[in-house]
Amino acid sequence: MARNILILGASYGSLLATKLLMAGHNVTLVCRKKTAELINRDGTEVRIKLRDEPAHRSIFSRDLPGKLDASTPEDVDLSRYDLVGLAMQEPQYTNHTVRVLMIKIAEAKLPCLSIMNMPPLPYLKRIPALAGMDLEEAYTNALVWERFEPGLVSLCSPDPQAFRPPEEAANVLHVGLPTNFKAAIFADEAHNLLLRELEADIDAVKLDGQDVPVKLKVFDSLFVPLAKWSMLLTGNYRCITPQEPQSIRDAVHADLKRSQAIYDHVDAIAQRLGADPKDQVPFEKYAKAAESLLKPSSAARAVANGAPFIERVDLLVRLISHQLGMPNDEIDRTVKIVDQKLSERIVPGGGAP
């Protein structure tokens, strides 16, 4: 049975959308008006490399069995949808029209699967050790999340690395590292049945008889998506330097011993919260993957391009580490550098430009 999925965010969200469309499900991407018009006219193009093939393939939404459309936030009819995917950068949810849609989603009690790096606050409330912590400071506007029931919000580790090529139109996405989305379960078993149905349908997809990378994997543990934190603190946020941004590869491999110390400390924080060591990705596997990540992270690119706000998983982990009594000098240093780079965008007497 074809499901109807609403995904907020047409850039990274188009990767999950493409996998759902290949499996025969229908997707609406929520985005700006110009992007929606482009997608409704031309569809999307996701470039992905199949195993053992030298070049990326272009997968066009118009060729797939599922139906794709795009909409602005104010034009969404929520009665159509079985599931909501949250694929925007966390600061984008403070946009007025997006925030109004978020209020409607919360009131409709639709299950929401986040593929943001920044875990939604209601998801963190599902973890007993975090439920009482003061973490709002890490969010651009924590009030966005106040109406959501924690059990209706789950997190999917956005491990696949993808970006919009700057020279291409807004409907094109290039997948650099085709790893899997790893989703934690919801509180309601009916919603978990839906997740596992999507998992199986995506897993069954073939392209010219070949397996297609980037699966949806569903886990009973709430902690599996937190394995991404070690990667973000070791690589992504350390791409932000006092000078120009550096690649993820250079952030990790310039001093491998220091990188492993950061990685292991964040792993230890997750385990203190309740994660099983087998929920986490070994440092060696991450370091190997980082060798092919030759661009700065999306956070570093955003800072370099003048964004006044970015997702602050670095600050979230710092707040958690201090409240657990597990502070770390390297994490504190990263947060300080990110704070400094963001503050460079503040115009005296006038706020962000």
Side-chain angles (χ1 to χ4, degrees), residues 62-320:
R62 60 177 179 264
D63 299 332
L64 303 178
K67 293 182 181 141
L68 176 70
D69 69 311
S71 172
T72 57
E74 58 269 29
D75 290 336
V76 172
D77 173 10
L78 288 176
S79 66
R80 294 174 50 197
Y81 301 102
D82 303 297
L83 177 75
V84 176
L86 303 174
M88 291 179 173
Q89 296 277 320
E90 182 265 334
Q92 293 178 273
Y93 293 91
T94 62
N95 172 280
H96 175 69
T97 56
V98 174
R99 192 172 173 192
V100 170
L101 177 58
M102 292 287 279
I103 291 170
K104 292 176 181 176
I105 291 169
E107 290 175 346
K109 299 192 183 305
L110 285 166
C112 297
L113 181 66
S114 169
I115 56 169
M116 299 154 41
N117 278 324
M118 190 71 174
L121 260 175
Y123 181 78
L124 297 182
K125 301 286 186 195
R126 295 177 63 190
I127 297 173
L130 295 177
M133 283 193 186
D134 181 9
L135 304 173
E136 285 78 3
E137 180 191 341
Y139 291 80
T140 312
N141 184 352
L143 294 177
V144 169
W145 306 102
E146 65 179 351
R147 297 169 188 257
F148 286 84
E149 292 182 16
L152 289 170
V153 181
S154 195
L155 182 63
C156 190
S157 180
D159 291 355
Q161 300 279 328
F163 62 94
R164 268 185 181 165
E167 71 282 2
E168 299 280 5
N171 61 339
V172 178
L173 189 76
H174 184 95
V175 181
L177 186 66
T179 45
N180 296 322
F181 290 112
K182 294 184 289 191
I185 57 171
F186 291 103
D188 188 323
E189 194 50 41
H191 299 147
N192 295 332
L193 286 172
L194 168 58
L195 265 189
R196 295 189 192 283
E197 175 190 321
L198 298 177
E199 174 187 39
D201 292 347
I202 288 172
D203 194 54
V205 167
K206 302 290 183 191
L207 186 60
D208 296 336
Q210 295 188 65
D211 195 51
V212 184
V214 187
K215 309 286 190 176
L216 175 65
K217 300 293 185 182
V218 181
F219 295 84
D220 292 334
S221 169
L222 292 176
F223 298 98
V224 167
L226 303 194
K228 185 71 185 285
W229 289 1
S230 302
M231 305 176 199
L232 293 170
L233 270 292
T234 305
N236 297 47
Y237 286 96
R238 291 172 69 226
C239 292
I240 302 169
T241 77
Q243 290 79 41
E244 293 301 307
Q246 62 180 339
S247 69
I248 294 177
R249 181 188 66 181
D250 290 348
V252 174
H253 285 273
D255 186 337
L256 211 53
K257 189 174 179 182
R258 175 180 288 187
S259 293
Q260 179 157 14
I262 297 167
Y263 195 96
D264 290 347
H265 189 84
V266 181
D267 269 0
I269 290 169
Q271 290 176 35
R272 179 79 169 272
L273 296 174
D276 189 302
K278 70 175 184 288
D279 291 338
Q280 294 163 297
V281 177
F283 174 74
E284 293 75 19
K285 184 175 180 180
Y286 169 67
K288 178 67 176 172
E291 290 177 357
S292 65
L293 300 178
L294 307 181
K295 294 180 181 292
S297 63
S298 59
R301 295 198 304 272
V303 171
N305 290 333
F309 304 103
I310 62 169
E311 292 184 319
R312 294 301 304 272
V313 183
D314 62 318
L315 178 54
L316 177 67
V317 174
R318 180 184 181 274
L319 290 169
I320 292 169

